């Protein structure tokens, strides 16, 4: 079996981009005395304002987008806005001068201090994957692969994510050749991971947001604190059934769970393996 996982909000309980930004701001305060907090606030607010304008101005209102095709068109068109935000981030200088080693340390410190928490059961599921020799990889639109690796330390897992150069620019993963920012990018990265692995291996994807939707529809589990998350509401709106892992339905492409303990307790991993063996 192959387990592919989103990172922010899936492996972690909360999104970590804010933590990454604050760590970079603190780095500059300590090393140069610069306070880049106002620039960070400006970048974030510009993105929020742009997203709100895009949502309200899109030609098909959310309540009328009732098909997967319509929703994917809406999501794919966000890429230009994401890339513009990355340009503003580079121009701000917030991530300038940060080495991979420093970013790794920031991630490790964020976990050790308790500022970043992993979802319950994640470490246990990774232990099971090692015991059964399953393939595991992280696919994330996070800006820093090194930061993710620091958070996951001492687990040494393959991470496919964007990277921050010494100049502060966000660059895409090699496997993709461009920045990874939206659902289509993640689907393309997932396809290349699958192509490089064993052809007869079943893949199960874990994600929590609409950027994970295309990957999840190949077969996966939504990580959500409850059934009211944005992704869960979106899936229901476009007619996709998402039962809880505790009520496994063979014909359902996607299930949901609050944490990885629920996934392990449900037996769904054994069920998926049995179905693969039978095939």
């Amino acid at each position: 079996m192959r387990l592919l996982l989103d990172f922010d909000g899936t492996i972690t309980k909360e999104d970590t981009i804010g933590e990454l930004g604050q760590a970079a701001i603190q780095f500059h305060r300590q090393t140069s005395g610069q306070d880049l907090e106002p620039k960070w606030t400006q970048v974030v607010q510009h993105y929020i304002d742009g997203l709100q304008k895009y949502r309200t101005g899109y030609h098909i209102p959310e309540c009328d987008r009732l098909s997967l095709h319509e929703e994917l068109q809406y999501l794919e068109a966000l890429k230009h806005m994401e890339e513009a935000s990355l340009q503003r981030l580079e121009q701000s200088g917030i991530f300038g001068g940060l080495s991979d080693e420093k970013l790794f340390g920031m991630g490790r410190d964020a976990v050790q201090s308790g500022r970043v928490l992993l979802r319950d059961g994640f470490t246990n599921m990774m232990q099971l994957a090692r015991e059964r020799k399953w393939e595991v990889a992280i696919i994330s639109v996070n800006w820093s692969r090194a930061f993710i690796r620091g958070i996951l330390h001492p687990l040494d897992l393959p991470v496919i994510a964007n990277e921050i150069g010494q100049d502060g620019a966000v660059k895409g993963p090699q496997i993709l050749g461009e920045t990874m920012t939206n659902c289509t990018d993640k689907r393309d990265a997932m396809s290349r991971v699958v192509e490089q692995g064993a052809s007869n291996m079943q893949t199960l994807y874990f994600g929590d947001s609409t950027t994970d939707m295309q990957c999840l529809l190949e077969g996966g589990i939504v990580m959500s604190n409850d059934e009211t998350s944005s992704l869960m509401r979106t899936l229901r709106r476009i007619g996709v059934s998402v039962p809880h892992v505790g009520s496994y339905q063979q014909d359902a492409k996607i299930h949901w769970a609050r944490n990885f303990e629920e996934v392990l307790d449900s037996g769904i991993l054994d069920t998926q393996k049995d179905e693969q063996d039978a095939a």
Side-chain angles (χ1 to χ4, degrees), residues 74-91:
Y74 167 81
L75 294 171
E76 288 168 0
L78 282 167
K79 186 168 179 66
H80 75 281
M81 195 181 75
E82 299 284 356
E83 290 179 336
S85 183
L86 293 181
Q87 288 293 320
R88 288 191 292 271
L89 192 67
E90 178 182 355
Q91 293 164 5

Side-chain angles (χ1 to χ4, degrees), residues 4 38 40 44 58 83 86-87 110 123 130-131 199 204 215-216 228 240 243 249 254 257 263 270:
L4 302 180
W40 171 255
V44 172
Y58 191 72
E83 290 179 336
L86 293 181
Q87 288 293 320
T123 302
R130 284 195 302 272
E131 292 171 356
S199 59
L204 193 63
C215 296
L216 285 163
T228 65
V240 178
Q249 296 177 20
I254 309 176
V263 175
D270 294 318

Side-chain angles (χ1 to χ4, degrees), residues 8 25-26 41 103 116 155 160 177 179 196 201 253 255 260:
D8 286 294
I25 290 167
Q26 186 62 23
T41 300
L103 289 160
V116 170
L155 294 174
I160 300 164
T179 53
Q196 293 174 4
M201 188 176 295
K253 279 284 188 182
H255 291 75
F260 295 100

Side-chain angles (χ1 to χ4, degrees), residues 126-185:
M126 291 302 97
Q127 181 179 345
L128 178 67
R130 284 195 302 272
E131 292 171 356
R132 297 189 178 182
K133 295 181 171 53
W134 290 342
E135 286 187 12
V136 178
I138 314 301
I139 302 178
S140 172
V141 297
N142 191 292
W143 299 330
S144 174
R145 176 177 178 269
F147 182 69
I148 293 174
R149 291 184 63 248
I151 289 174
L152 295 176
H153 181 75
L155 294 174
D156 186 17
L157 300 173
V159 177
I160 300 164
N162 299 303
E163 301 186 63
I164 296 173
Q166 285 275 5
D167 58 356
V170 177
K171 302 174 177 64
Q174 281 190 339
I175 197 172
L176 201 59
E178 61 179 342
T179 53
M180 185 160 55
T181 63
N182 69 359
C183 59
T184 302
D185 295 338

Side-chain angles (χ1 to χ4, degrees), residues 10-205:
T10 296
I11 293 174
T12 61
K13 290 187 175 182
E14 304 288 345
D15 190 279
T16 67
I17 290 294
E19 174 62 31
L20 174 60
Q22 289 302 316
I25 290 167
Q26 186 62 23
F27 167 79
H28 287 291
R29 282 176 179 155
Q30 293 174 346
T31 57
S32 67
Q34 285 183 289
D35 182 9
L36 297 179
E37 183 86 46
K39 288 189 175 182
W40 171 255
T41 300
Q42 186 178 39
V43 169
V44 172
Q45 190 59 52
H46 200 139
Y47 178 79
I48 292 172
D49 292 345
L51 183 60
Q52 181 62 27
K53 183 178 180 180
Y54 175 75
R55 284 174 175 167
T56 57
Y58 191 72
H59 66 281
I60 305 177
E62 180 179 292
C63 61
D64 292 334
R65 296 196 301 271
L66 304 178
S67 72
L68 174 62
H69 176 71
E70 289 173 334
E71 192 63 23
L72 291 180
Q73 282 191 318
Y74 167 81
L75 294 171
E76 288 168 0
L78 282 167
K79 186 168 179 66
H80 75 281
M81 195 181 75
E82 299 284 356
E83 290 179 336
S85 183
L86 293 181
Q87 288 293 320
R88 288 191 292 271
L89 192 67
E90 178 182 355
Q91 293 164 5
S92 73
I94 291 169
F95 292 121
L98 289 173
S99 65
D100 280 354
E101 181 181 9
K102 188 66 180 177
L103 289 160
F104 180 95
M106 289 174 172
R108 184 187 56 206
D109 293 346
V111 171
Q112 291 176 348
S113 67
R115 296 192 305 274
V116 170
L117 300 173
L118 305 185
R119 281 194 189 266
D120 296 342
F122 174 71
T123 302
N124 290 339
M125 194 174 82
M126 291 302 97
Q127 181 179 345
L128 178 67
R130 284 195 302 272
E131 292 171 356
R132 297 189 178 182
K133 295 181 171 53
W134 290 342
E135 286 187 12
V136 178
I138 314 301
I139 302 178
S140 172
V141 297
N142 191 292
W143 299 330
S144 174
R145 176 177 178 269
F147 182 69
I148 293 174
R149 291 184 63 248
I151 289 174
L152 295 176
H153 181 75
L155 294 174
D156 186 17
L157 300 173
V159 177
I160 300 164
N162 299 303
E163 301 186 63
I164 296 173
Q166 285 275 5
D167 58 356
V170 177
K171 302 174 177 64
Q174 281 190 339
I175 197 172
L176 201 59
E178 61 179 342
T179 53
M180 185 160 55
T181 63
N182 69 359
C183 59
T184 302
D185 295 338
K186 294 195 83 169
R187 180 208 60 196
D188 291 346
M190 176 179 169
S191 296
R192 291 173 194 183
V193 170
V194 171
E195 287 169 3
Q196 293 174 4
S199 59
N200 63 341
M201 188 176 295
Q202 183 166 353
T203 299
L204 193 63
Y205 185 90

